[in-house]
Amino acid sequence: LGAQKFTLEQRVALHVFAGETGMIPFKKQVDLLAKMLASEPSDPSRFRDLVVQLIMGGGKTAVIATIFLYLAAKRKGQA
């Protein structure tokens, strides 16, 4: 699951998600999550602005949004 891009806590969350839902994120989804969770270089307390277009059935709601919102809420240093 792209272990080098995530902290230990984030990797555990990804594995728990996969185990509980039975859905293993695709590499493309994991790469997108890593980009979405990257901090803004000028202000590390903010996420980067990012626009991505995915086709229907690309896992936007069931996979990406679910994991992103959980990991974003757990991030240290947020306001």
Side-chain angles (χ1 to χ4, degrees):
L1 288 177
Q4 69 279 7
K5 300 173 187 170
F6 298 99
T7 66
L8 177 60
E9 181 180 4
Q10 290 171 332
R11 289 194 310 261
V12 169
L14 286 168
H15 286 283
V16 169
F17 172 83
E20 289 294 316
T21 64
M23 294 185 286
I24 300 171
F26 291 111
K27 181 181 181 331
K28 183 176 181 176
Q29 292 168 326
V30 173
D31 292 343
L32 179 57
L33 280 167
K35 284 182 189 177
M36 292 171 71
L37 289 166
S39 298
E40 182 66 42
S42 61
D43 184 3
S45 66
R46 292 179 41 109
F47 291 113
R48 286 186 179 167
D49 293 330
L50 181 68
V51 176
V52 177
Q53 182 176 352
L54 296 174
I55 63 169
M56 270 181 20
K60 295 178 293 290
T61 304
V63 178
I64 296 170
T66 305
I67 297 171
F68 175 75
L69 292 173
Y70 176 79
L71 294 177
K74 293 289 199 177
R75 189 169 74 160
K76 292 181 168 88
Q78 68 177 9

